[in-house]
Amino acid sequence: MVTLVLAYAVVAVLLPWALGRHRRVMACAAAVLPAVTAIWAVAHAGGGVLTEQVSWAADLGLSIDFRLDALSIVMLLLIGGVGAVALCYAGWYLERSEALMTGTLVAFAGAMTGLVLADNLLVLYVFWELTTLSSFILIGTTRPERAEDRRAATQALLTTTAFGLLMLAGFVLLGQTAGTYQISALLADPPGGAAAEAGLVLVLLGAFAKSGQVPLHAWLPAAMVAPSPVSAYLHAAAMVKAGVYLVARFSPAFADTGLWRPAVVCVGLVSLLVGGVIALRQDDLKALLAYGTISQLGFLMVLFGHGTRTAALAGAALLLAHGLFKAPLFLAAGVVEHEAGTRRAGELSGMGRRLPVTAVAAAVAVASMIGLPPLLGFLAKEAAFEAFAHGGWDAVVLAGIVAGSVLTTAYGVRFMHGAFRGGEGPVRIADPWGMAVPLAVPAGAGFVLGFLYGPLQKMFAPYADTLGADDGYKLALWHGLKLPLALSALAIAAGVVLFLVAGRRYPARPVRWPVPNGQRGYNRTARGILVWAHAVTKWTQVGSLPVYLGVIGATVLVVPGTALVVAMAGDGSPDVAGYVLHGWDDPVQSVLGVVVIVCGVAALLTRRRLSAALLMGGVGYAIGGLFVAQGAPDLALTHLVVETLLLITLVLVLRRLPDRFPPRRRKRSAKIATGVISVGLGGFIATFLMVAALSRTDQPTGPGYAELAAEEGADNIVNMILVEARALDTLGEITVVAVASMGVIGLVLSGRRVPRAPDGKPRAVEPEGDDRGRRSWLASPGRPALGVTPMVPAAATARLLSPAILVFSVYLLIAGHNRPGGGFVAGLVAAMAYVLRYLPGGRRELAAAMPVRPGVLLGGGLGLAVATGAAGWGFGGFPDGDFLASEVLLYTVPVLGEIKLSTSLFFDVGVYLLVLGLVLTILTTLGASLDENAFEEDVPEESETGAGDPADGGASEGARP
């Protein structure tokens, strides 16, 4: 099962890359894996329960659990079967290759597969949100130029994600109450109490939002702006079933609780009726089907929420039938729109004669939806009527689902009449076979499965039996002349009459009573949240950095500071009587401490910004010296390089600011508050460190890492921790760094000016001189970074020193396993070589020096690190041992002699490239932006430098060797 989910991820990435220019071949190839999934599910039907577990963090009890049972099999049939036909259909529906859409559809299929196989609440939530993200991409990026599509994508994302977070909180409550996050264990021994009931309410809210239940349904009709294959797959057959699936999964354990049944059944009935009424009034075919989907999902909620065996049997049958009739209806609406150019029923005529195959397939699907025998929908509806035909409160529910069935018949007939009615005279038959065949397959499957009620009974029974003992009811086409059959006939007849009375007009007649409008409710809610957010922002974001820092500092003093004082006053405070404090271990530490104090006080008193920056740099360098004195060369080297880069960046920014600080006109109370907070924070940190050191009860972890380093053959313990023992943490950190670099680009370039000609159009100027072709070694550097006249000696010196610095960085990279160094510090040192080129020569000099764009270094470094970690995982390094399963290799090199290398060096190279790419990204965005703003008269000239647009990494084609 893990392999199946991973296969979707691989196909989603590689297939568009390999076949992106051949949309039909790509679509059909993408359909293979979902089809295999459906076949695999059928092969395991009736074969018992399969389980699989991958340990993630065994010490924390975290694992990836998968479980295949009867309910999962039904969902996999939908995910795989409908996914295959939707992908094939997309190859002919789309006018051009949409590699992103195809890849995202495959990724969505993988996310849904993981969701229905997950046997862990947290794993289920991860896949749950992956389906939300896939839906957002498919709705909003297919036609990103349309504001309507972007709004619909945002609405779907906000609604499902917000309530998904509530669901996550419910998962946490249930997991903590039950003592386990494994779903099968939790359902076997369901927790009770107020916390569990609160968790169930939150879980239901997430399920209702995902399945478009009233009043959280507005996002689903809005999502109909997506292409028809997306609507058919995500918003009819698969994604919207996630909420229904969650209710079905939890019902065996919680259906008898006081809250579950009334909440689910009531919400389901309201959605069934409201969705049906609104669907009957729609002129847009896809909108009609969308509200019909809300209605049918409400029907499913009623069946699964009721918590009885027959209702669950009916729910499983309707779950499969719904996907097999609603998906082809969406696909049929897409064919009609593709051929007629519209999907407005009032503007269509004669499409039934032009598209006979599509019309017949749609008619079969509608017949299954309204419950005509011998289709699968008839089996499900008969079982549903039987489940509630026992009097009492069930009679009220039965009346509701009969009324919903009447509405289903009415809007089903309205769809057929609106899409395929009319037309006279000869007409050319124009069924596009590439779209007609895929939509006919699921419609035909709904017809065939109606006769296979025996195998379906065996497939559904294991799940239905979890909700009660066998009551003797079985799926069949004929149960005799009983109440369910009479109710079916009544619903169909009344539905046809309702259509004739209220459904034949396009658009529908206006009504005097208010019609429920979920979109209006969403808009008001969103507007209210924005108004509230603006008010809070105006109150809290006052635009003063000292205020922000003061609030943070005061919070630290009030919360953890108070806790520290209470702890020290208690009986558990450390006994400091036996400890003697001394000023230093080495006299040099006292000197460096004095430097730190003097520079800090001087920075506080100086009136010039540059002086303050240099003094703060002095504080940093002195602290680096303290690291050296304490015997931490790795930490000291990294700290000094980072301090240098920060100082240079700060100086670049200071070019945009006045030379002196503004006059200080703060009130005496503000000065007193600043002093109190500053002194308090200093005292808190010093006291906390002392208490923490004296309160140690366990042995330090350092000796353990030393022993591990000896086993790994590493002398540099710090580097061994970063790239071997805790490489997974490092991977997460460098991923954050890569994301942050993209944020830097977005923030810096958000307001960047574009050179324009006198007519107002963007000016495009060809590079001059050496920029037209190959750059010379001493190319004209353009504006220097620090704003002084470019000097050839300075540029030449930088060019002479840079290669030596780069060689030294490579030495630090390779030597990091056994000596001070490593990928992080080596990348910083390499970046210093490019900073040295940038300072005297500006962007042109930097562009001439960069071998590739910074984005290539960022992506390549992160990709190499991920690939190295994946390889280590594949060879058993994680989670049972080290993430990388590092091995030490010995090589004998002439002149140099024996060289010891570790396979973790590849991971370190990834870190090296990523850090270098980050610094170059900052230089090509922040530095370039400052250059442009500082010298506006040079904007046209600097646009000609060939330094490239910082948005794509800085260097242009001409800048590459």
Side-chain angles (χ1 to χ4, degrees):
M1 288 181 277
V2 174
T3 303
L4 179 63
V5 175
L6 292 177
Y8 276 102
V10 172
V11 172
V13 174
L14 295 184
L15 189 67
W17 173 77
L19 300 174
R21 297 183 180 181
H22 311 280
R23 75 174 191 274
R24 293 181 178 178
V25 176
M26 175 180 62
C28 293
V32 172
L33 185 56
V36 170
T37 301
I39 296 171
W40 178 77
V42 172
H44 287 84
V49 176
L50 295 179
T51 60
E52 188 173 350
Q53 183 181 78
V54 176
S55 180
W56 177 255
D59 293 341
L60 299 177
L62 298 179
S63 61
I64 301 175
D65 300 290
F66 288 108
R67 189 172 188 267
L68 179 70
D69 58 10
L71 183 60
S72 300
I73 288 173
V74 177
M75 288 295 296
L76 287 178
L77 283 175
L78 283 177
I79 295 165
V82 177
V85 299
L87 282 164
C88 290
Y89 176 98
W92 275 261
Y93 178 83
L94 300 173
E95 297 294 338
R96 56 187 176 87
S97 176
E98 286 287 357
L100 176 62
M101 195 189 83
T102 302
T104 308
L105 279 173
V106 175
F108 167 80
M112 280 298 302
T113 301
L115 188 153
V116 302
L117 291 176
D119 193 32
N120 183 287
L121 292 175
L122 301 181
V123 175
L124 186 149
Y125 174 75
V126 170
F127 286 113
W128 183 283
E129 292 305 322
L130 286 176
T131 63
T132 298
L133 181 61
S134 301
S135 176
F136 172 76
I137 294 173
L138 290 168
I139 297 172
T141 62
T142 304
R143 293 171 295 186
E145 69 281 358
R146 292 182 47 174
E148 182 184 6
D149 290 31
R150 299 194 300 273
R151 282 195 300 268
T154 303
Q155 181 175 352
L157 180 69
L158 291 178
T159 303
T160 54
T161 301
F163 286 92
L165 290 173
L166 294 178
M167 183 190 72
L168 176 61
F171 283 168
V172 172
L173 288 174
L174 289 175
Q176 292 299 111
T177 305
T180 178
Y181 283 86
Q182 189 175 36
I183 297 175
S184 56
L186 186 147
L187 299 182
D189 186 17
E197 291 186 2
L200 287 178
V201 172
L202 297 176
V203 169
L204 287 178
L205 287 175
F208 293 156
K210 194 77 164 184
S211 290
Q213 297 299 280
V214 176
L216 307 176
H217 65 285
W219 71 267
L220 183 54
M224 291 304 109
V225 297
S228 289
V230 174
S231 300
Y233 191 23
L234 274 70
H235 308 132
M239 175 183 166
V240 292
K241 296 282 185 21
V244 172
Y245 166 79
L246 194 61
V247 170
R249 176 63 71 194
F250 277 50
S251 275
F254 299 106
D256 292 329
T257 61
L259 179 67
W260 184 273
R261 183 177 287 116
V264 177
V265 172
C266 290
V267 170
L269 279 178
V270 171
S271 300
L272 171 64
L273 298 175
V274 171
V277 170
I278 300 177
L280 190 58
R281 300 187 50 77
Q282 297 303 308
D283 184 42
D284 186 308
L285 296 180
K286 286 185 69 176
L288 185 154
L289 295 175
Y291 283 104
T293 299
I294 294 170
S295 177
Q296 292 295 301
L297 292 173
F299 196 178
L300 286 167
M301 285 287 184
V302 172
L303 295 176
F304 284 118
H306 190 250
T308 60
R309 179 185 179 278
T310 304
L313 192 64
L318 185 60
L319 185 68
L320 182 58
H322 179 266
L324 295 179
F325 64 65
K326 190 55 67 72
L329 290 178
F330 273 105
L331 298 179
V335 174
V336 171
E337 182 181 16
H338 187 273
E339 297 300 313
T342 182
R343 58 174 189 255
R344 291 283 177 183
E347 302 172 7
L348 295 171
S349 179
M351 298 306 297
R353 302 180 63 199
R354 286 183 55 189
L355 307 171
V357 176
T358 301
V360 170
V364 172
V366 168
S368 181
M369 181 172 68
I370 66 179
L372 289 179
L375 289 100
L376 180 58
F378 172 76
L379 298 179
K381 193 164 289 187
E382 283 272 294
F385 291 155
E386 175 66 27
F388 296 96
H390 303 291
W393 284 106
D394 285 354
V396 177
V397 180
L398 179 62
I401 62 176
V402 169
S405 299
V406 172
L407 292 169
T408 301
T409 301
Y411 69 70
V413 177
R414 178 179 174 86
F415 174 84
M416 290 299 300
H417 182 262
F420 301 109
R421 74 185 186 281
E424 298 179 357
V427 65
R428 181 177 65 87
I429 296 177
D431 266 307
W433 68 270
M435 290 186 279
V437 172
L439 73 90
V441 169
F447 176 80
V448 173
L449 289 178
F451 296 97
L452 301 178
Y453 48 82
L456 290 179
Q457 174 71 31
K458 294 180 180 179
M459 181 187 299
F460 303 150
Y463 169 72
D465 291 342
T466 61
L467 286 112
D470 189 349
D471 54 7
Y473 185 85
K474 299 184 184 298
L475 297 176
L477 286 173
W478 178 253
H479 288 97
L481 297 175
K482 297 182 179 180
L483 180 62
L485 183 62
L487 292 176
S488 294
L490 173 63
I492 293 171
V496 172
V497 172
L498 179 61
F499 163 74
L500 295 175
V501 172
R504 291 191 298 171
R505 180 172 176 176
Y506 308 99
R509 292 185 180 91
V511 293
R512 296 180 180 179
W513 60 86
V515 177
N517 191 320
Q519 187 62 46
R520 187 183 301 119
Y522 167 81
N523 292 339
R524 290 176 178 174
T525 302
R527 190 178 302 113
I529 292 175
L530 287 176
V531 171
W532 176 78
H534 288 158
V536 172
T537 302
K538 183 179 180 180
W539 181 67
T540 58
Q541 300 297 315
V542 297
S544 172
L545 183 58
V547 172
Y548 301 153
L549 294 176
V551 171
I552 296 172
T555 304
V556 171
L557 290 178
V558 170
V559 182
T562 303
L564 179 62
V565 171
V566 173
M568 292 181 64
D571 296 335
S573 59
D575 183 12
V576 298
Y579 295 92
V580 177
L581 299 179
H582 55 280
W584 55 79
D585 295 323
D586 190 306
V588 73
Q589 292 176 334
S590 62
V591 177
L592 293 172
V594 171
V595 172
V596 170
I597 296 173
V598 171
C599 288
V601 174
L604 179 64
L605 299 177
T606 185
R607 305 300 303 142
R608 293 182 178 273
R609 297 181 189 270
L610 181 59
S611 300
L614 295 176
L615 289 169
M616 293 306 299
V619 173
Y621 288 123
I623 293 175
L626 288 172
F627 293 150
V628 174
Q630 285 295 113
D634 265 300
L635 181 58
L637 181 60
T638 304
H639 177 84
L640 293 174
V641 177
V642 170
E643 190 69 38
T644 303
L645 288 174
L646 287 176
L647 182 59
I648 292 173
T649 304
L650 184 57
V651 170
L652 291 177
V653 174
L654 290 180
R655 294 168 50 209
R656 297 291 315 282
L657 299 174
D659 177 54
R660 293 179 176 271
F661 290 109
R664 297 177 181 176
R665 295 170 180 160
R666 292 182 299 171
K667 297 180 181 179
R668 177 178 294 272
S669 58
K671 294 180 180 181
I672 294 175
T674 301
V676 170
I677 292 174
S678 301
V679 173
L681 281 176
F684 166 76
I685 294 174
T687 306
F688 174 79
L689 292 176
M690 183 181 68
V691 171
L694 298 180
S695 300
R696 184 190 298 275
T697 57
D698 296 329
Q699 292 297 321
T701 59
Y705 280 118
E707 295 174 2
L708 182 60
E711 294 175 3
E712 297 290 341
D715 297 326
N716 187 338
I717 300 177
V718 174
N719 187 254
M720 185 277 302
I721 293 173
L722 292 177
V723 300
E724 294 180 39
R726 300 191 61 88
L728 184 61
D729 294 343
T730 304
L731 179 62
E733 291 162 3
I734 63 176
T735 302
V736 172
V737 168
V739 174
S741 68
M742 291 186 284
V744 169
I745 295 174
L747 287 173
V748 173
L749 300 183
S750 59
R752 190 181 179 195
R753 301 177 183 177
V754 178
R756 296 185 178 276
D759 59 358
K761 296 182 179 180
R763 178 182 297 174
V765 184
E766 292 294 328
E768 296 179 356
D770 292 330
D771 290 333
R772 296 177 182 230
R774 184 176 180 274
R775 294 179 179 273
S776 64
W777 186 70
L778 284 176
S780 174
R783 280 287 184 182
L786 297 180
V788 298
T789 304
M791 300 174 60
V792 172
T797 302
R799 295 189 177 206
L800 289 173
L801 291 178
S802 294
I805 296 176
L806 289 173
V807 171
F808 178 62
S809 73
V810 174
Y811 164 77
L812 290 174
L813 171 65
I814 299 175
H817 192 70
N818 297 293
R819 294 179 178 84
F824 185 77
V825 67
L828 292 173
V829 171
M832 290 296 299
Y834 291 96
V835 172
L836 191 61
R837 293 285 296 269
Y838 172 73
L839 291 177
R843 290 183 300 149
R844 285 191 178 183
E845 188 71 15
L846 179 64
M850 287 193 301
V852 295
R853 297 175 181 175
V856 176
L857 295 175
L858 280 169
L862 184 60
L864 180 59
V866 172
T868 307
W873 189 359
F875 286 105
F878 175 81
D880 298 323
D882 294 339
F883 179 54
L884 301 177
S886 178
E887 298 291 339
V888 177
L889 307 175
L890 296 177
Y891 296 96
T892 301
V893 180
V895 180
L896 298 179
E898 189 177 80
I899 296 179
K900 183 191 297 184
L901 295 178
S902 171
T903 53
S904 61
L905 176 65
F906 296 105
F907 185 86
D908 234 2
V909 172
V911 177
Y912 174 90
L913 295 175
L914 188 139
V915 172
L916 177 58
L918 171 65
V919 177
L920 292 179
T921 298
I922 294 175
L923 288 178
T924 55
T925 52
L926 179 60
S929 176
L930 292 173
D931 287 350
E932 288 179 356
N933 292 328
F935 303 101
E936 292 182 355
E937 70 275 10
D938 288 339
V939 168
E941 176 187 340
E942 298 212 352
S943 68
E944 305 166 10
T945 61
D949 189 348
D952 61 15
S956 67
E957 295 294 332
R960 300 182 207 161

